[in-house]
Amino acid sequence: MTLVVRNARVLTLAGDPVRRGAAKGELGVVDPGDVVVDDAGVIVEVRAHDPNMQAPAGAAVIEADGRVCMPAFVDWHTHAVFVGDRA
């Protein structure tokens, strides 16, 4: 089933996937934005929010109301044993 997330603060993390120091704070943000995910779970479109956008027939629609939508592959944690470079 196609999924549409509407009116979200979308973190795209565009650019270099390995970020260090001040670069960690440089996010690609589409605010507000819409995200369309196809039946296979692949993101097919991220764009500025369009209140007039029609979702594809049969799509599940999530009204995000400005909440954050971010990729699931972001590793937000670390362990003290990994003090060095984790790249």
Side-chain angles (χ1 to χ4, degrees):
M1 171 186 305
T2 301
L3 171 67
V4 177
V5 180
R6 296 173 43 86
N7 193 24
R9 184 170 189 213
V10 183
L11 304 183
T12 67
L13 302 177
D16 188 350
V18 179
R19 297 166 191 238
R20 294 180 181 86
K24 291 180 185 178
E26 298 171 8
L27 302 176
V29 179
V30 179
D31 187 14
D34 299 328
V35 179
V36 180
V37 182
D38 71 12
D39 294 343
V42 175
I43 296 171
V44 294
E45 186 174 9
V46 176
R47 66 177 181 192
H49 176 60
D50 177 0
N52 298 314
M53 180 184 86
Q54 298 294 316
V61 178
I62 296 174
E63 294 292 345
D65 298 322
R67 293 179 181 93
V68 173
C69 179
M70 68 180 191
F73 58 80
V74 177
D75 182 2
W76 286 97
H77 79 281
T78 190
H79 299 272
V81 70
F82 297 113
V83 177
D85 183 5
R86 294 191 66 189

